[in-house]
């Protein structure tokens, strides 16, 4: 058969040395309306690949004349348009991770769950854009639309290029970058360009869920499992079944939950709170964090095995200060959303120049906040420099120094310290008169520092926690303990 004559059905190559498993896979795939070739060795598989185009290669990891990993690397380099998936032994999650890093599209574990196999095949065929039979039932690809990630700079074009490749795989991706750099948008872009685009995309902020409720929120619960569980409820994994689950600020997960999450990801099964049996789930995991996860592992705050399971592929988002050429296009898009019918909003050239010279410690999110505030003050819908309320740029100051300076500036502003007395910054809180009540005095200091950080970040608690060097959960606890309300931003 000529490789270009794929018409009625796609063709799958199954490589496995176990005759009964080859037969089971072949029957399952034929029932889906697909053509199947089988091979029990790498040598036989290479002969098939030299003669025939395949829409999917499915290989065992252990073969008589070599490793399935060799076939993964070979197919990924020589037959780049052909996805390859691997079959791993039960509990061999490490092998699956190695295969995914080498270029495998996805994996299934032994004993092979046929429903999971069918989903994998459908995803692979959807990527190939073959014409399926009615039984395969693949949803047609959605028409292309503009990227969520706006800009034409070299940096953002490189990110979009990476996303187009990542979308073809089911491998876990970790998205790193500073707060406000667009990590969730990148995750949505990966999902939208993947074979799962017609399935749910569920984004979860791991730092915003109380620890006591985490297991129930992620895995769901049965009626009567605990006080207040008046009915069965699905968790995030069930809600994202067939689609993508994004774990935002994954570094904030407590260690006990990390163990349970690792098992769910490896086994692709979850057990609801109060249930006695596990249920299969099919989700692609995307993670995001502004923290250095490797440093968290070293410090004992994040499990190394979960780190390696999530960090199969890393996507790094550049901060806005590294792509200031995109500010004009980003600002236009933001102002278009802020405008109301008949009342357009624009930037005059001087204001645009000021934005392009600004440091943007809060990245794109800060640009949105600046423009939203400026639009409220603008005369006749035209934003001028004075409407932006920009602080002086700190672009030349190193990152760690800049964050320290930001905290000091915020404290100085909250205490109305004169700019002419910079030496007071190191002695912001003077020695109290003795005798004093020390706990109350320390609480007052903590309250003022937190308020300064909130003022600096315009009440963005995630950024404030970063400025103060504490976790989001620690900051939230302190805010509740000290009864701190949102502060007015400058």
């Amino acid at each position: 058969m000529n490789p270009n004559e794929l018409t009625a059905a796609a063709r799958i190559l199954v490589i496995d040395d176990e005759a009964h498993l080859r037969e089971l896979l072949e029957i399952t795939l034929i029932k889906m309306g697909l053509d199947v070739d089988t091979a029990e060795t790498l040598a036989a598989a290479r002969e098939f690949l030299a003669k025939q185009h395949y829409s999917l290669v499915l290989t065992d990891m252990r073969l008589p004349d070599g490793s399935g990993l060799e076939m993964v690397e070979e197919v990924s380099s020589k037959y780049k348009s052909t996805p390859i998936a691997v079959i791993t032994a039960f509990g061999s999650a490490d092998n699956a991770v190695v295969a995914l890093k080498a270029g495998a599209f996805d994996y299934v574990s032994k004993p092979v769950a046929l429903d999971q196999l069918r989903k994998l095949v459908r995803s692979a065929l959807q990527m190939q854009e073959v014409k399926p039979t009615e039984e395969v039932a693949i949803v047609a690809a959605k028409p292309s639309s503009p990227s969520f990630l706006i800009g034409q700079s070299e940096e953002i074009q490189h990110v979009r290029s990476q996303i187009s490749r990542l979308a073809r795989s089911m491998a876990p991706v970790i998205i790193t970058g500073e707060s406000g750099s667009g990590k969730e948008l990148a995750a949505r872009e990966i999902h939208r360009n993947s074979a799962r685009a017609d399935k749910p995309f569920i984004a979860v902020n791991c730092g915003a869920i109380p620890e006591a409720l985490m297991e129930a929120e992620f895995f769901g619960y049965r009626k009567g499992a605990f006080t207040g569980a008046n009915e069965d409820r699905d968790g995030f994994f069930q809600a994202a079944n067939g689609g993508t689950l994004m774990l935002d600020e994954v570094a904030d997960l407590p260690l006990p939950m990390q163990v349970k999450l690792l098992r769910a990801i490896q086994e692709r099964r979850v057990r609801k709170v109060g249930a006695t049996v596990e249920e299969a789930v099919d989700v692609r995991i995307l993670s995001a964090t502004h923290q250095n996860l490797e440093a968290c592992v070293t410090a004992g705050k994040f499990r190394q095995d979960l780190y390696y399971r999530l960090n199969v592929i890393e996507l790094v988002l550049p901060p806005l200060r590294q792509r200031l050429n995109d500010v004009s296009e980003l600002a236009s898009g933001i102002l278009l959303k802020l405008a109301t019918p008949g009342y357009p909003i624009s930037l005059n050239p001087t204001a645009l120049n000021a934005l392009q010279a600004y440091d943007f410690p809060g990245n794109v999110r800060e640009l949105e906040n600046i423009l939203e505030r400026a639009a409220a003050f603008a005369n006749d819908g035209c934003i001028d420099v004075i409407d932006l309320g920009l602080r002086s740029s700190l672009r030349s100051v190193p990152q760690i120094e800049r964050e320290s300076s930001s905290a000091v500036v915020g404290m100085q502003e909250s205490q109305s310290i004169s700019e002419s007395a910079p030496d007071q910054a190191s002695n912001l809180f003077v020695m109290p008169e003795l005798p004093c009540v020390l706990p109350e005095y320390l609480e007052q200091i903590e309250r003022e520092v937190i308020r300064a950080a909130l003022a600096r970040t315009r009440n963005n608690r995630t950024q404030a926690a970063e400025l103060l060097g504490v976790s989001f959960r620690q900051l939230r606890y302190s805010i509740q303990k000290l009864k701190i309300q949102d502060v007015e931003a400058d």
Side-chain angles (χ1 to χ4, degrees), residues 122-149:
R122 291 188 184 105
S123 295
L125 297 185
Q126 194 168 9
M127 287 169 50
Q128 293 290 297
E129 297 182 351
V130 299
K131 295 181 179 179
T133 61
E134 184 176 349
E135 193 167 359
V136 177
I138 300 173
V139 179
K142 293 183 178 180
S144 59
S145 55
S147 170
F148 289 123
L149 301 172

mmCIF file of all heavy atoms in Angstrom, residues 122-149:
data_model
loop_
_atom_site.group_PDB
_atom_site.id
_atom_site.type_symbol
_atom_site.label_atom_id
_atom_site.label_comp_id
_atom_site.label_asym_id
_atom_site.label_seq_id
_atom_site.Cartn_x
_atom_site.Cartn_y
_atom_site.Cartn_z
ATOM 1 N N ARG A 122 -7.602 7.613 19.760
ATOM 2 C CA ARG A 122 -8.403 8.708 19.205
ATOM 3 C C ARG A 122 -7.609 10.019 19.205
ATOM 4 O O ARG A 122 -7.653 10.791 18.246
ATOM 5 C CB ARG A 122 -9.694 8.868 20.006
ATOM 6 C CG ARG A 122 -10.679 7.710 19.843
ATOM 7 C CD ARG A 122 -12.014 8.023 20.507
ATOM 8 N NE ARG A 122 -12.915 6.881 20.433
ATOM 9 C CZ ARG A 122 -13.205 6.079 21.456
ATOM 10 N NH1 ARG A 122 -12.673 6.316 22.632
ATOM 11 N NH2 ARG A 122 -14.036 5.074 21.297
ATOM 12 N N SER A 123 -6.888 10.265 20.294
ATOM 13 C CA SER A 123 -6.084 11.490 20.369
ATOM 14 C C SER A 123 -4.996 11.495 19.304
ATOM 15 O O SER A 123 -4.746 12.505 18.652
ATOM 16 C CB SER A 123 -5.440 11.626 21.760
ATOM 17 O OG SER A 123 -6.423 11.786 22.745
ATOM 18 N N ALA A 124 -4.349 10.345 19.106
ATOM 19 C CA ALA A 124 -3.286 10.256 18.106
ATOM 20 C C ALA A 124 -3.836 10.471 16.698
ATOM 21 O O ALA A 124 -3.246 11.185 15.882
ATOM 22 C CB ALA A 124 -2.587 8.903 18.201
ATOM 23 N N LEU A 125 -4.983 9.869 16.407
ATOM 24 C CA LEU A 125 -5.571 10.023 15.074
ATOM 25 C C LEU A 125 -6.064 11.447 14.840
ATOM 26 O O LEU A 125 -6.004 11.965 13.728
ATOM 27 C CB LEU A 125 -6.719 9.032 14.886
ATOM 28 C CG LEU A 125 -6.344 7.547 14.926
ATOM 29 C CD1 LEU A 125 -7.546 6.694 14.612
ATOM 30 C CD2 LEU A 125 -5.202 7.241 13.976
ATOM 31 N N GLN A 126 -6.548 12.058 15.888
ATOM 32 C CA GLN A 126 -7.001 13.443 15.759
ATOM 33 C C GLN A 126 -5.820 14.349 15.401
ATOM 34 O O GLN A 126 -5.962 15.276 14.613
ATOM 35 C CB GLN A 126 -7.642 13.911 17.070
ATOM 36 C CG GLN A 126 -8.434 15.195 16.934
ATOM 37 C CD GLN A 126 -9.276 15.463 18.168
ATOM 38 O OE1 GLN A 126 -9.135 14.783 19.180
ATOM 39 N NE2 GLN A 126 -10.140 16.437 18.098
ATOM 40 N N MET A 127 -4.658 14.064 15.952
ATOM 41 C CA MET A 127 -3.461 14.826 15.606
ATOM 42 C C MET A 127 -3.095 14.624 14.141
ATOM 43 O O MET A 127 -2.626 15.530 13.470
ATOM 44 C CB MET A 127 -2.279 14.378 16.467
ATOM 45 C CG MET A 127 -2.345 14.827 17.908
ATOM 46 S SD MET A 127 -1.085 13.994 18.886
ATOM 47 C CE MET A 127 0.352 14.289 17.882
ATOM 48 N N GLN A 128 -3.328 13.393 13.648
ATOM 49 C CA GLN A 128 -2.965 13.076 12.273
ATOM 50 C C GLN A 128 -3.973 13.597 11.264
ATOM 51 O O GLN A 128 -3.730 13.579 10.063
ATOM 52 C CB GLN A 128 -2.847 11.556 12.112
ATOM 53 C CG GLN A 128 -1.691 10.959 12.892
ATOM 54 C CD GLN A 128 -0.364 11.359 12.301
ATOM 55 O OE1 GLN A 128 -0.052 11.021 11.173
ATOM 56 N NE2 GLN A 128 0.422 12.097 13.056
ATOM 57 N N GLU A 129 -5.145 14.029 11.754
ATOM 58 C CA GLU A 129 -6.216 14.554 10.900
ATOM 59 C C GLU A 129 -6.626 13.543 9.831
ATOM 60 O O GLU A 129 -6.892 13.879 8.679
ATOM 61 C CB GLU A 129 -5.804 15.862 10.239
ATOM 62 C CG GLU A 129 -5.528 16.976 11.224
ATOM 63 C CD GLU A 129 -5.158 18.273 10.550
ATOM 64 O OE1 GLU A 129 -4.955 18.253 9.318
ATOM 65 O OE2 GLU A 129 -5.091 19.291 11.247
ATOM 66 N N VAL A 130 -6.688 12.241 10.240
ATOM 67 C CA VAL A 130 -7.162 11.218 9.315
ATOM 68 C C VAL A 130 -8.681 11.244 9.292
ATOM 69 O O VAL A 130 -9.332 11.768 10.185
ATOM 70 C CB VAL A 130 -6.682 9.816 9.756
ATOM 71 C CG1 VAL A 130 -5.178 9.758 9.760
ATOM 72 C CG2 VAL A 130 -7.243 9.436 11.111
ATOM 73 N N LYS A 131 -9.263 10.647 8.235
ATOM 74 C CA LYS A 131 -10.710 10.537 8.155
ATOM 75 C C LYS A 131 -11.124 9.251 8.856
ATOM 76 O O LYS A 131 -10.895 8.157 8.349
ATOM 77 C CB LYS A 131 -11.161 10.519 6.685
ATOM 78 C CG LYS A 131 -10.872 11.821 5.967
ATOM 79 C CD LYS A 131 -11.343 11.757 4.538
ATOM 80 C CE LYS A 131 -11.076 13.070 3.809
ATOM 81 N NZ LYS A 131 -11.511 13.019 2.399
ATOM 82 N N PRO A 132 -11.733 9.346 10.038
ATOM 83 C CA PRO A 132 -12.046 8.143 10.806
ATOM 84 C C PRO A 132 -13.335 7.491 10.360
ATOM 85 O O PRO A 132 -14.166 8.101 9.700
ATOM 86 C CB PRO A 132 -12.198 8.689 12.221
ATOM 87 C CG PRO A 132 -12.742 10.063 11.999
ATOM 88 C CD PRO A 132 -12.111 10.571 10.726
ATOM 89 N N THR A 133 -13.482 6.228 10.734
ATOM 90 C CA THR A 133 -14.776 5.592 10.545
ATOM 91 C C THR A 133 -15.718 6.101 11.617
ATOM 92 O O THR A 133 -15.305 6.745 12.577
ATOM 93 C CB THR A 133 -14.635 4.067 10.696
ATOM 94 O OG1 THR A 133 -14.176 3.800 12.006
ATOM 95 C CG2 THR A 133 -13.637 3.506 9.697
ATOM 96 N N GLU A 134 -16.976 5.784 11.491
ATOM 97 C CA GLU A 134 -17.970 6.289 12.449
ATOM 98 C C GLU A 134 -17.674 5.778 13.853
ATOM 99 O O GLU A 134 -17.883 6.464 14.837
ATOM 100 C CB GLU A 134 -19.364 5.837 12.015
ATOM 101 C CG GLU A 134 -20.480 6.385 12.903
ATOM 102 C CD GLU A 134 -21.836 5.993 12.402
ATOM 103 O OE1 GLU A 134 -21.932 5.477 11.278
ATOM 104 O OE2 GLU A 134 -22.816 6.208 13.139
ATOM 105 N N GLU A 135 -17.125 4.545 13.963
ATOM 106 C CA GLU A 135 -16.887 3.954 15.275
ATOM 107 C C GLU A 135 -15.766 4.670 16.028
ATOM 108 O O GLU A 135 -15.754 4.735 17.246
ATOM 109 C CB GLU A 135 -16.545 2.479 15.122
ATOM 110 C CG GLU A 135 -16.584 1.719 16.435
ATOM 111 C CD GLU A 135 -16.559 0.237 16.218
ATOM 112 O OE1 GLU A 135 -16.535 -0.207 15.056
ATOM 113 O OE2 GLU A 135 -16.573 -0.494 17.216
ATOM 114 N N VAL A 136 -14.778 5.215 15.284
ATOM 115 C CA VAL A 136 -13.700 5.928 15.952
ATOM 116 C C VAL A 136 -14.206 7.229 16.544
ATOM 117 O O VAL A 136 -13.762 7.676 17.594
ATOM 118 C CB VAL A 136 -12.535 6.191 14.957
ATOM 119 C CG1 VAL A 136 -11.433 6.991 15.618
ATOM 120 C CG2 VAL A 136 -11.991 4.874 14.446
ATOM 121 N N ALA A 137 -15.172 7.880 15.883
ATOM 122 C CA ALA A 137 -15.881 9.050 16.430
ATOM 123 C C ALA A 137 -14.930 10.128 16.923
ATOM 124 O O ALA A 137 -14.895 10.462 18.092
ATOM 125 C CB ALA A 137 -16.821 8.630 17.559
ATOM 126 N N ILE A 138 -14.132 10.681 16.038
ATOM 127 C CA ILE A 138 -13.223 11.755 16.400
ATOM 128 C C ILE A 138 -13.870 13.094 16.082
ATOM 129 O O ILE A 138 -14.438 13.283 15.011
ATOM 130 C CB ILE A 138 -11.896 11.630 15.628
ATOM 131 C CG1 ILE A 138 -11.241 10.291 15.968
ATOM 132 C CG2 ILE A 138 -10.952 12.756 15.966
ATOM 133 C CD1 ILE A 138 -10.035 10.002 15.138
ATOM 134 N N VAL A 139 -13.780 14.021 17.012
ATOM 135 C CA VAL A 139 -14.346 15.345 16.801
ATOM 136 C C VAL A 139 -13.439 16.128 15.863
ATOM 137 O O VAL A 139 -12.217 16.133 16.013
ATOM 138 C CB VAL A 139 -14.478 16.094 18.140
ATOM 139 C CG1 VAL A 139 -15.048 17.489 17.926
ATOM 140 C CG2 VAL A 139 -15.370 15.307 19.080
ATOM 141 N N ALA A 140 -14.014 16.806 14.883
ATOM 142 C CA ALA A 140 -13.215 17.580 13.929
ATOM 143 C C ALA A 140 -12.469 18.695 14.635
ATOM 144 O O ALA A 140 -12.946 19.270 15.604
ATOM 145 C CB ALA A 140 -14.132 18.165 12.858
ATOM 146 N N ALA A 141 -11.278 18.980 14.137
ATOM 147 C CA ALA A 141 -10.460 20.039 14.753
ATOM 148 C C ALA A 141 -11.143 21.388 14.614
ATOM 149 O O ALA A 141 -11.772 21.685 13.605
ATOM 150 C CB ALA A 141 -9.091 20.081 14.085
ATOM 151 N N LYS A 142 -11.009 22.202 15.630
ATOM 152 C CA LYS A 142 -11.623 23.523 15.611
ATOM 153 C C LYS A 142 -10.827 24.454 14.704
ATOM 154 O O LYS A 142 -9.617 24.306 14.544
ATOM 155 C CB LYS A 142 -11.665 24.095 17.030
ATOM 156 C CG LYS A 142 -12.593 23.330 17.953
ATOM 157 C CD LYS A 142 -12.649 23.994 19.314
ATOM 158 C CE LYS A 142 -13.607 23.256 20.234
ATOM 159 N NZ LYS A 142 -13.692 23.883 21.558
ATOM 160 N N PRO A 143 -11.486 25.438 14.067
ATOM 161 C CA PRO A 143 -10.746 26.376 13.234
ATOM 162 C C PRO A 143 -9.759 27.177 14.056
ATOM 163 O O PRO A 143 -9.963 27.413 15.244
ATOM 164 C CB PRO A 143 -11.857 27.276 12.661
ATOM 165 C CG PRO A 143 -13.005 27.126 13.612
ATOM 166 C CD PRO A 143 -12.917 25.734 14.139
ATOM 167 N N SER A 144 -8.667 27.562 13.400
ATOM 168 C CA SER A 144 -7.636 28.315 14.112
ATOM 169 C C SER A 144 -8.148 29.696 14.495
ATOM 170 O O SER A 144 -8.983 30.276 13.812
ATOM 171 C CB SER A 144 -6.387 28.456 13.233
ATOM 172 O OG SER A 144 -6.712 29.112 12.030
ATOM 173 N N SER A 145 -7.634 30.226 15.585
ATOM 174 C CA SER A 145 -8.008 31.559 16.055
ATOM 175 C C SER A 145 -6.774 32.211 16.636
ATOM 176 O O SER A 145 -5.770 31.554 16.883
ATOM 177 C CB SER A 145 -9.122 31.446 17.115
ATOM 178 O OG SER A 145 -8.723 30.587 18.155
ATOM 179 N N PRO A 146 -6.812 33.522 16.867
ATOM 180 C CA PRO A 146 -5.618 34.214 17.353
ATOM 181 C C PRO A 146 -5.095 33.620 18.656
ATOM 182 O O PRO A 146 -5.851 33.110 19.480
ATOM 183 C CB PRO A 146 -6.121 35.653 17.556
ATOM 184 C CG PRO A 146 -7.289 35.782 16.643
ATOM 185 C CD PRO A 146 -7.933 34.429 16.621
ATOM 186 N N SER A 147 -3.791 33.712 18.832
ATOM 187 C CA SER A 147 -3.156 33.178 20.026
ATOM 188 C C SER A 147 -3.571 33.964 21.260
ATOM 189 O O SER A 147 -3.828 35.168 21.204
ATOM 190 C CB SER A 147 -1.633 33.231 19.868
ATOM 191 O OG SER A 147 -0.992 32.934 21.077
ATOM 192 N N PHE A 148 -3.621 33.259 22.402
ATOM 193 C CA PHE A 148 -3.851 33.938 23.676
ATOM 194 C C PHE A 148 -2.654 34.810 24.038
ATOM 195 O O PHE A 148 -2.781 35.770 24.793
ATOM 196 C CB PHE A 148 -4.070 32.911 24.797
ATOM 197 C CG PHE A 148 -5.388 32.183 24.723
ATOM 198 C CD1 PHE A 148 -5.424 30.796 24.661
ATOM 199 C CD2 PHE A 148 -6.583 32.868 24.723
ATOM 200 C CE1 PHE A 148 -6.626 30.111 24.601
ATOM 201 C CE2 PHE A 148 -7.798 32.204 24.666
ATOM 202 C CZ PHE A 148 -7.807 30.821 24.601
ATOM 203 N N LEU A 149 -1.474 34.439 23.534
ATOM 204 C CA LEU A 149 -0.231 35.133 23.869
ATOM 205 C C LEU A 149 0.056 36.180 22.805
ATOM 206 O O LEU A 149 0.474 35.862 21.686
ATOM 207 C CB LEU A 149 0.924 34.133 23.965
ATOM 208 C CG LEU A 149 0.722 33.039 25.019
ATOM 209 C CD1 LEU A 149 1.805 31.990 24.913
ATOM 210 C CD2 LEU A 149 0.703 33.640 26.419
#
